[in-house]
Amino acid sequence: LQVEFREKGETMEINDIQNGQDIVIRYNNNIVYFIEVKSKWNFNQPAHMSTNQMRQAVLNHDKYALCCVDLTNYSSVIANEIDIDTILSNTYVHLNIGEVLGYYLKTIVNDNRDEENNIKIRDYQSNLNKGFFKQGEKGLNTLIADIIKKCNI
């Protein structure tokens, strides 16, 4: 998907790339933002961030957002009937997820020692419960403002 920003005529790309995020936003060929989206219909089990997702968040803490969509008030049976306004009003954005995870994982993520002679921690995941989902900033306005700021537009 390529979107043209008409005021300046410059190109903005939004790519769906599964390598630690769901969406990569580029502006003038530079990565502006990584976005991971988690949604839940129920919290019988928490949502999870994978090793790659957490690593990407820590390495790009200033341009990584976790968007949590809490649809527990709705049934997954009507998933195709839920309108965009309902989804947006149940979306919570965590712009500081890289910093939060970095507190625990920075040393592990930045460990470049050789695996032949050193212990390496490789696979880890996080559990994201409903309480955490709802601690984010409600709606997308803050995320959109930060993306625009990083694009200098």
Side-chain angles (χ1 to χ4, degrees):
L1 171 64
Q2 210 158 311
V3 179
E4 186 176 324
F5 186 75
R6 301 199 183 276
E7 287 181 37
K8 290 188 178 181
E10 296 163 329
T11 301
M12 180 176 275
E13 282 183 45
I14 302 172
N15 299 322
D16 178 12
I17 301 170
Q18 294 290 316
N19 189 28
Q21 70 287 313
D22 290 318
I23 301 166
V24 176
I25 298 178
R26 295 177 190 267
Y27 182 67
N28 289 338
N29 296 319
N30 297 312
I31 293 175
V32 176
Y33 241 97
F34 298 96
I35 302 172
E36 176 62 26
V37 180
K38 300 291 181 190
S39 61
K40 292 294 282 183
W41 296 99
N42 67 62
F43 279 92
N44 296 339
Q45 298 291 320
H48 303 284
M49 284 185 78
S50 70
T51 301
N52 277 348
Q53 292 162 354
M54 291 189 292
R55 180 177 175 75
Q56 190 75 281
V58 171
L59 291 173
N60 296 286
H61 61 90
D62 60 333
K63 56 184 172 187
Y64 191 102
L66 173 64
C67 297
C68 299
V69 185
D70 176 12
L71 296 171
T72 55
N73 291 330
Y74 305 91
S75 168
S76 60
V77 175
I78 62 163
N80 293 334
E81 300 170 22
I82 295 179
D83 61 273
I84 189 70
D85 290 330
T86 299
I87 293 169
L88 292 175
S89 68
N90 288 285
T91 298
Y92 301 86
V93 178
H94 298 263
L95 294 181
N96 68 337
I97 189 66
E99 293 169 16
V100 170
L101 292 170
Y103 175 80
Y104 304 101
L105 299 174
K106 198 171 198 171
T107 302
I108 295 168
V109 167
N110 291 311
D111 182 6
N112 293 319
R113 293 178 298 162
D114 114 53
E115 292 183 39
E116 186 85 18
N117 300 305
N118 295 287
I119 293 174
K120 291 292 272 189
I121 298 173
R122 294 184 148 259
D123 294 323
Y124 43 90
Q125 72 177 18
S126 65
N127 290 344
L128 310 171
N129 59 31
K130 186 172 183 166
F132 174 80
F133 260 50
K134 294 187 126 186
Q135 288 175 17
E137 181 84 24
K138 192 166 186 167
L140 296 178
N141 291 340
T142 305
L143 174 59
I144 292 167
D146 204 35
I147 291 169
I148 290 170
K149 179 180 170 187
K150 287 182 175 23
C151 291
N152 295 315
I153 48 179

